[in-house]
Amino acid sequence: MTPDDAVRQALCTHMGREFAAHFQYLAMSAWLAGEGLPETSGFFGGQASEEHVHAMKFLQFIVDTGGPVEIPAVDAPAAAFASAEALVGSALAQEEQITRWIEDLVHLARDHRDLATEAFLQWFIREQVEEVATMTELLQVVRHAGPSLLLVEDYVTRWKPTRAR
Ligand code: FEO
């Protein structure tokens, strides 16, 4: 079933948000690298890659259901942060916002009796639970570490193999 135009446009809009998240995580990764935190920078680089995959899932779904794909303009990401804690807090807020947008999309798909879009979005509902949990935990670790950000580097180094998918 092809999404009606309101659903398709909402999917295109959200695809743009996932690309924006990709760029935001890249900017965070770059800022962390500049702070001399290579492991945490690498972790955020990995998050950036995940967001690109998310955006491409939307793109492919829109293609598969008849298109057309319209890629929206993306605002420049924030490039400077007051602290690592502020950066991670911002990342958590971003994930919480994306969760709300995904939930809104599910409700829109239901309102339009669009079962294919609703089924497609279920993966993102589960993914957002993990993304919010990951960033919540990282924020807790950063707060525990206080000024000892090398502890965060150590945590991220150990986290990657145990929680990688
Ligand atoms: Fe694609 Fe982290 O939301």
Side-chain angles (χ1 to χ4, degrees):
M1 176 179 159
T2 301
D4 68 28
D5 206 52
V7 174
R8 184 193 63 79
Q9 286 187 3
L11 291 170
C12 288
T13 296
H14 190 78
M15 174 181 58
R17 294 165 177 156
E18 298 284 352
F19 281 124
H22 165 71
F23 284 122
Q24 184 58 76
Y25 276 132
L26 278 184
M28 289 173 166
S29 176
W31 186 87
L32 290 161
E35 292 293 304
L37 298 166
E39 296 293 340
T40 313
S41 172
F43 168 79
F44 275 84
Q47 292 297 116
S49 297
E50 285 194 15
E51 300 304 343
H52 188 263
V53 169
H54 296 173
M56 293 305 294
K57 282 179 182 279
F58 274 87
L59 187 150
Q60 191 61 51
F61 179 76
I62 298 164
V63 169
D64 289 346
T65 52
V69 171
E70 294 172 271
I71 299 176
V74 174
D75 290 338
F81 303 90
S83 65
E85 180 178 341
L87 181 152
V88 178
S90 169
L92 174 58
Q94 173 175 281
E95 292 300 344
E96 290 172 336
Q97 178 61 67
I98 289 175
T99 298
R100 288 191 288 274
W101 281 326
I102 294 284
E103 290 171 352
D104 288 347
L105 283 173
V106 171
H107 290 300
L108 181 69
R110 285 183 181 168
D111 288 347
H112 288 251
R113 302 173 63 83
D114 183 340
L115 299 182
T117 297
E118 188 176 342
F120 165 72
L121 292 167
Q122 291 309 306
W123 184 89
F124 287 91
I125 292 284
R126 294 191 299 275
E127 175 73 1
Q128 284 309 119
V129 170
E130 184 175 319
E131 300 257 275
V132 169
T134 296
M135 218 46 80
T136 298
E137 186 173 289
L138 182 60
L139 182 57
Q140 290 171 322
V141 169
V142 169
R143 286 175 174 161
H144 288 314
S148 307
L149 289 175
L150 290 180
L151 294 174
V152 178
E153 287 280 280
D154 183 53
Y155 163 81
V156 170
T157 304
R158 287 182 289 106
W159 185 93
K160 280 192 288 194
T162 56
R163 306 253 320 245
R165 284 160 291 157

